[in-house]
Amino acid sequence: MIKNKKIEQALIGQIKNEEHSSRLYMAMASWCHANGFHGASKYLFKQSDEERAHMLKIVNYVNERGGHATLSELDNLTDNYKTLIEVFEKILKHEEFITTEINNLYEESMKSKDYATATFIQWFITEQLEEESTFQDILDKMRMTGSTPGGVYWIDRELAMIAAGRG
Ligand code: OFO
């Protein structure tokens, strides 16, 4: 049972964060498609699905432990970007924010001696590490190739390969 209501609320807050991430990446994927970055679009639609899976993971965890995973009202998001690099800069910033949220959740669970939740959250800590490193890598490549049409074309193809599991 999740006895501590504060932990239950913190997990519900994280459900909102994951749902927001999923919508944010879907909006970005749509922008990429509309602007001719089809590889980046495929990649971000996939990321959006992953974030939804993260959300479901927490929903199931809360309910399986006798809590009630409710959904929250979502924040507005931007639909417009100037460049592909701006999209990925915003993603990295967003993931850094999520990492802080996950770390706080872990700390709260430990303070409350809710070791089951702390163990559950460890998966997300590892996931954040991987995601931050992947997005940093993509950004580094983008910065290296600059904003030349050839460079942008190459990175878009790379993202298409990653989305297809060949990257
Ligand atoms: Fe849910 O993995 Fe990052 O945000």
Side-chain angles (χ1 to χ4, degrees):
M1 281 285 279
I2 299 186
K3 294 199 192 89
N4 189 330
K5 280 284 154 197
K6 207 172 155 196
I7 296 293
E8 186 180 8
Q9 282 312 309
L11 285 162
I12 287 172
Q14 192 53 33
I15 290 171
K16 177 185 175 182
N17 283 339
E18 302 292 344
E19 195 175 6
H20 179 79
S21 303
S22 177
R23 288 185 77 230
L24 177 65
Y25 297 161
M26 199 190 305
M28 287 170 163
S30 176
W31 179 88
C32 287
H33 197 174
N35 285 277
F37 304 116
H38 292 185
S41 173
K42 282 196 187 102
Y43 177 80
L44 290 174
F45 271 121
K46 223 173 152 194
Q47 290 300 314
S48 168
D49 286 348
E50 274 188 23
E51 296 300 346
R52 185 168 188 279
H54 297 171
M55 175 190 78
L56 289 174
K57 214 175 164 81
I58 308 174
V59 167
N60 290 331
Y61 175 77
V62 172
N63 288 337
E64 274 161 16
R65 288 200 58 212
H68 181 195
T70 52
L71 299 184
S72 316
E73 200 173 316
L74 293 173
D75 302 333
N76 286 338
L77 28 89
T78 324
D79 275 319
N80 269 317
Y81 303 93
K82 285 189 196 74
T83 58
L84 189 60
I85 204 162
E86 186 197 340
V87 170
F88 280 84
E89 276 166 355
K90 293 230 157 95
I91 292 176
L92 185 58
K93 220 167 165 203
H94 177 70
E95 288 300 339
E96 284 166 357
F97 161 74
I98 297 292
T99 299
T100 307
E101 294 279 283
I102 293 283
N103 289 345
N104 290 340
L105 194 44
Y106 182 79
E107 208 175 308
E108 237 2 275
S109 317
M110 290 301 279
K111 267 197 220 148
S112 310
K113 296 192 184 336
D114 184 345
Y115 301 117
T117 299
T119 306
F120 171 73
I121 290 301
Q122 274 173 9
W123 183 89
F124 288 86
I125 293 176
T126 311
E127 178 70 11
Q128 284 308 117
L129 255 179
E130 280 171 21
E131 285 183 352
E132 276 194 33
S133 137
T134 304
F135 289 124
Q136 184 64 64
D137 193 48
I138 293 170
L139 260 181
D140 288 346
K141 282 183 177 148
M142 283 181 170
R143 287 182 182 133
M144 246 188 285
T145 56
S147 334
T148 60
V152 175
Y153 177 75
W154 176 79
I155 197 81
D156 194 55
R157 276 190 52 139
E158 282 279 296
L159 291 170
M161 299 270 278
I162 300 172
R166 284 181 269 127

